[in-house]
Amino acid sequence: IANKLYLYDVIKESNINRGLNKFGYGGFYELVKNGVDDNLYHKRLLEYTKEDFGELEKYIKEERDELLSYNGLIMLTERYCVRGHNKEVLEKPQEAFLRVAMYLALNEKDEDRLDYAKKFYDVLSELKMTVATPMMSNSGKPHNQLSSCFINVAEDSLESIFNTNTIFANVSKYGGGQGLYIGKVRAKGSDIGGFKDVGGGTVPWIR
């Protein structure tokens, strides 16, 4: 019941924010086209023609919204569905799956692209598989950063430590997961510049 009520609100708010005089799905092409101008969608999605969008939009299975648990639906709509600059709801759950599928199929041959987009959409929307957060968050969006894991090494210097902070801040900004090797940073109580027992160690920096 909670799932259905929440989903009703999401679809209703989305349509109001998009100026659609109907309930349910529709108008995805217009959303993407306007969203490219508003820096919400990646311009490469418009490599699909309006007719392609129409075919894919007809392929959307609204009933698959009900496969999502209440918590899953909240996570999908709040973390992954495209929202406006004022955090208003724009994209609906099945449109989010379709956006990801369309973006992943872009590099397929022209004659195969729609078939692959449909196949990708099916496995995602039927919850047969999922993709990592950067891919779900960024596919079809302007920054389109799809990689999950970034590994770095902090050398034993102030410059390297703070440069690593800057690099990781930028990676995190676009949803990249991070791993850091800190074994090269001297331990707590180490000597620095000839002074004994002054090294602060790694724990304060990690915290």
Side-chain angles (χ1 to χ4, degrees):
I1 292 173
N3 187 314
K4 287 179 180 290
L5 290 172
Y6 183 81
L7 181 62
Y8 177 88
D9 284 344
V10 166
I11 293 175
K12 180 181 177 181
E13 287 181 36
S14 169
N15 288 345
I16 290 173
N17 294 330
R18 288 159 59 173
L20 298 176
N21 297 317
K22 56 173 289 186
F23 187 80
Y25 281 76
F28 189 53
Y29 172 75
E30 288 74 17
L31 174 64
V32 173
K33 187 173 183 296
N34 294 331
V36 168
D37 294 334
D38 290 337
N39 202 36
L40 298 175
Y41 285 93
H42 198 287
K43 62 183 179 181
R44 283 204 67 196
L45 285 179
L46 295 182
E47 292 178 21
Y48 290 92
T49 66
K50 187 175 182 179
E51 291 70 28
D52 292 337
F53 269 90
E55 182 176 338
L56 290 170
E57 193 168 336
K58 289 178 182 177
Y59 194 74
I60 285 177
K61 307 296 189 292
E62 299 182 29
E63 64 273 13
R64 291 180 186 171
D65 283 338
E66 298 183 15
L67 296 176
L68 293 159
S69 68
Y70 178 61
N71 288 335
L73 184 61
I74 290 176
M75 178 177 291
L76 178 64
T77 55
E78 294 189 357
R79 291 185 60 181
Y80 301 131
C81 287
V82 171
R83 289 176 175 256
H85 296 294
N86 296 313
K87 297 185 178 181
E88 67 273 23
V89 177
L90 294 175
E91 201 174 66
K92 305 178 185 77
Q94 295 304 310
E95 292 172 338
F97 289 132
L98 183 59
R99 164 180 51 83
V100 175
M102 290 173 68
Y103 194 77
L104 295 181
L106 269 173
N107 289 333
E108 301 296 336
K109 296 178 181 178
D110 290 347
E111 61 270 23
D112 297 331
R113 187 182 293 165
L114 288 182
D115 286 338
Y116 273 100
K118 290 175 182 178
K119 289 175 182 177
F120 291 152
Y121 168 75
D122 281 338
V123 295
L124 290 169
S125 62
E126 291 176 345
L127 309 185
K128 291 180 177 178
M129 63 158 283
T130 188
V131 292
T133 288
M135 192 173 291
M136 195 70 200
S137 294
N138 299 327
S139 293
K141 294 182 183 179
H143 298 297
N144 66 302
Q145 191 292 104
L146 309 186
S147 300
S148 297
C149 300
F150 295 82
I151 309 299
N152 203 348
V153 177
E155 301 292 339
D156 189 28
S157 70
L158 194 65
E159 291 78 8
S160 178
I161 288 172
F162 279 93
N163 186 47
T164 300
N165 281 340
T166 301
I167 291 170
F168 270 22
N170 281 297
V171 170
S172 178
K173 179 180 179 181
Y174 297 118
Q178 304 167 68
L180 174 64
Y181 176 68
I182 57 170
K184 293 188 176 184
V185 179
R186 71 192 74 188
K188 183 178 180 180
S190 297
D191 299 350
I192 298 179
F195 293 92
K196 303 292 184 183
D197 195 27
V198 292
T202 59
V203 174
W205 170 44
I206 293 171
R207 284 178 175 167

